[in-house]
Amino acid sequence: MKEIYSLLESLHYDLPDLTPRHFLHHAAMEAFLWKRLPEVQNPTLIDLHPSLGNKDHLRSMILKVQETHFPFGTGWEGLIHLKSTQDKNALESNAYIHVVLEIPYSQMLKLSTDSDDLEDEADIFVEDDTPFHIVVCMTAEASFCLLKAQYLQCDIGFKRVIGFKEFELGGLHPETRTGITYCHIYLNRQSAVAHQIIFQKIEEIVLKDTGECLQWRHLHANDISDMVGILEIAVDQHGRQAKGLGRHLKSLARKLPVKADLHEPHCSIQELSEYDHLRCILRLCMNHFFHNIRKTSVPDTVRQAMHSLVCMEHKNWDGALALISSEGRKASRDWLNDKIRAKFAFPGICWEKSFIPRSVWLSGNSTTNLIESMHFDVNLEGTSCTLNTISLGICASYQCGHMSESITRGIKHKSNSHQKMFATQAVAIEHSNKRLKEAHQVKVDKESRLSQARIGKGSPEHAALALQRATKHYNKALEASLQTVGSGSGRVGLLLPQNVGDARQHRQPSSM
C-alpha cells in the first residue's frame, strides 16, 4: 500500500482531479506495474493485491492523499492557499499565479457606468449577488514577450474549469514566430466591467515584471507612421469583451498627457469614447463573421451583400446595407441591427471604416484561428477541472516558426474552403438546371395542348388555365436559376433560356 501512496504523491498536477478510473489508466500507473510485476503480461492492480480491484478502496486512498496536499480543497479556498504558499516559497520573478481576487457584486455595480453595464452584470451564468472571482496566471517571460508584441488575439472558453470561463490572450512570438499564450485568466462573469478588469490586471503585471508599461499605437505613437506598441487585436464578436477593452483604453488615455488624436486631430485622446478607441485597434475575426452569416436564413442576394461588407473599401456601402434591410427577411434585419448596435462590428471588418493603418490591416490577423487552436490544445489536457489544475508556463506550438509555414497553411485552408463552397454551389446549379428543364418541358406541353384545344381537340379554357399554372411554375424555376448566376467554379454550366442566356453570356440548353 505504501507503494500506491507514493505513486499518488508523485502525480503532482494530476492529483486534484484524479478519479479511480483515471488512476487505473494513468501512464505512471502502467509504468509502475510493468516495473513491479515484470513476470506478468499486461499487469493490473489486482495482480498486485486483490483489494486494489475495488474502486471505492482506491477512491478512499486518493481522497486521503488529496486532503494531505490540498487541506483547503481544490476550489476557491484551495486556490487562495496555493497562492499563499507560492508567495511564501517562490521568488517573485518566478510567480505564476499573480492575482486571486474577489469583488463583491455591489462593488461591480458601482463600477458599471451605464444601463448596458448594469444589464451585463446580471450574468446568466451566475446568481446576481455572486461575487466576481478572477484568477490571473502569467509568467515573467510572457510579460516580456507581450511587451514586444504587436498583433494580439483573445478568446474566452467555457470547458476548462468548473464554474469559470477561461480567457486567453495570445499571438505569435515576436522572434520565433511560434504561437504563444501570454496569460490564462479564469473568471466567473463576462460583463464589460469584468473584461476591463482583465486588461487592467494584465497591464499591472507587465509593469511589475518588466518595469515598463504596455504601449498602444493610437495612444503612444508620435504620428500616424509611428508603429509602436500594440497595433491590432483580433477578437470574435463578443460585445462585452470588446467594450471592456474599450473602457480600459479610455481609462488609460485619461492618465496620459493631453495630446491630439492621431486620426481626428480636432479632439484629444482623452475625449475618445470606448468605441472610438476600438476603431483604432480592433479587428473582427472574419471566420466568426462568415459563420454567423451562414446561420442566418436569408436569400442568396442578401447573403452576398453581407459577405461584401468584409473588405478594404466598399463601392456602395450604404446600398449594401439598404439591400440587406429591404430585401431580406426578419432574420436579415435582426442581423443588421445587431451589427449596428454593436458599434464596433463594421469598423472591425472594413478597413475604410476603421482607423487602423492600411499596412497594419494587410499584415494583421483577419481571424482568431491561432488563439482558438490554443484553447483547443489546452482543453485536450482535460475539461471540467478544478482550479488547482491550472498548468504552468507558456504554450508554444511545435513549428519551425518561419512565416512561410503560416502563409502556406492559410493558402491551403482558403483553397479547401473555396473547393467546398464551389462543390455546394455546383450541386445547387445542377438542381436548378434540372428543375428549369422540367418546368420548361411542362410549359411546352401545355402550349401544345392549348393549340390543339383551339382547333377543337379539348377545352380551351381548361388548357389556358393549365398553361397559366405551368408558366407560373416555370417563372419560379427561372427566378431560382437566376439566383445562382455568378456562383460555382464554372465547371458546371448554368442553363437559361436564349433571351436571358445571351444577356448573361450563358449557353442555351438544347431542350429550350
Side-chain angles (χ1 to χ4, degrees), residues 274-318:
E274 299 97 313
Y275 298 104
D276 291 331
H277 285 285
L278 295 181
R279 195 176 178 186
C280 301
I281 198 80
L282 193 78
R283 184 88 174 267
L284 276 189
C285 172
M286 67 177 189
N287 284 349
H288 283 85
F289 189 80
F290 289 152
H291 177 69
N292 288 335
I293 293 176
R294 286 194 296 271
K295 292 195 302 181
T296 306
S297 178
V298 295
D300 288 342
T301 54
V302 175
R303 182 171 283 108
Q304 289 172 7
M306 291 176 172
H307 276 269
S308 72
L309 300 179
V310 181
C311 60
M312 292 294 293
E313 297 171 307
H314 202 288
K315 295 180 180 179
N316 187 12
W317 180 273
D318 293 335

Side-chain angles (χ1 to χ4, degrees), residues 38 60 73 107 130 142 157 206 228 271 277 319 381 392 402 488:
S60 66
Q107 188 174 340
T130 301
V206 171
V228 300
E271 296 175 291
H277 285 285
E381 298 176 9
L392 300 181
H402 196 274

Side-chain angles (χ1 to χ4, degrees), residues 197-215:
I197 294 173
I198 285 176
F199 289 105
Q200 287 175 348
K201 295 302 177 184
I202 291 174
E203 293 251 13
E204 292 172 4
I205 293 170
V206 171
L207 177 59
K208 180 181 176 182
D209 287 343
T210 67
E212 299 181 45
C213 295
L214 280 179
Q215 291 191 323

Side-chain angles (χ1 to χ4, degrees), residues 432 435-436 473-485 496:
S432 297
R435 183 182 175 189
L436 184 61
H473 180 67
Y474 170 78
N475 289 337
K476 286 184 178 180
L478 178 59
E479 183 181 355
S481 292
L482 292 176
Q483 292 288 338
T484 64
V485 171
L496 292 175

Side-chain angles (χ1 to χ4, degrees), residues 12 44 92 113 136 151 176 225 249 278 339 386 388 418-419 423 459 463 473-474:
H12 302 298
T44 64
E92 188 173 351
T113 57
V136 182
Y151 299 94
T176 65
S225 62
L249 294 173
L278 295 181
K339 301 298 174 287
T386 60
N388 285 39
H418 284 176
Q419 291 300 323
S459 170
H473 180 67
Y474 170 78

